[in-house]
Amino acid sequence: MKKLFIIFIVFVLSALNCYAAIDTDKMQIKTILNNINKYSNEHNIDKLKPYYSKDYLSYDGFDYDAFFVSVNETFKTYPDILYKSKIKSINIAGDFATVEMIDTSTSSRQTLTQSIVENKPVLNQKLNGFMESKCHYIVYLKKMRGKWQIYSDNIIAEETAIKYGKAQEINMNIVSPPIAKEGEEYCIGLNIINKPKDSIMLASLSREEIKYPPKMPSDAFRKMPTDGTLERIVIANKKGMNEYSLASVGITEISLNEEKTAINYQMSGIAFLMKRVNVYAKKNSVNKEYINKMLNKEPL
């Protein structure tokens, strides 16, 4: 019994040491992720790079170089972008770790529009806007020579809205499935809840593969139906690439001049909505003949 008790004590002490090591690793990982958030808000790419492995490869196919080129472009496009990160869980298995996170990013925006007043064009009118994005994802880390680094990440869900002018006052959302099978149809929908009066709303719906550099979407604009819902059926790509569902919305206000001799047109609102669709491929990992025999209870 004494020998067994000693073995039990050794087991307990080993387990405690293991838990202590895991707690230390969790603290290191939290520090890394907090620093990434800090340096992202400072737009300091040089401070971000050491936290990523040179072998980094995202589930979207972005390697280390492509990832940081795209990050740099984001900082240039959104010079005041701010990030907020929330860690949902940390799981550690030896020298590997997975972290579930939710990021929210915001940025003020400004664009130029035009109008027609008294039958004359008025160019370069400023329209203020706002960008908000939410991303739910998994980060994968690996410990090499006692140092944790990110070597991959997988985005589960992602949604972004950029609204200018009157579009900020309108409740609108894009609807699409979170996943789709390659080469198969799925529906993209746009819902406008409080469609403004005395204005024309045009919108387009499209899908684009997630790649760098991104391709500018091009699709014909259609007048929004009176019920505020526009839908389009698209076909997922067969390249094994994830996609974005995209909606573009334009709001034009119409009014008469004081003399009621001319109609004035003003582009008063613009919106761009984006939602991720993760595309999965058909795999041949199951022996269907074996499954059929099992279902029919045939001898193997």
Side-chain angles (χ1 to χ4, degrees), residues 45 64-74 212:
I45 285 185
Y64 178 90
D65 292 330
F67 173 73
F68 280 107
V69 168
S70 65
V71 169
N72 189 51
E73 287 296 316
T74 299
Y212 192 84

Side-chain angles (χ1 to χ4, degrees), residues 230-245:
L230 182 67
E231 294 182 333
R232 181 185 176 188
I233 300 296
V234 297
I235 299 176
N237 73 87
K238 296 182 179 180
K239 304 173 186 176
M241 301 179 70
N242 296 321
E243 301 182 346
Y244 285 131
S245 295

Side-chain angles (χ1 to χ4, degrees), residues 20 52 113 150 265:
Y52 289 80
T113 64
I150 295 172
Y265 298 88

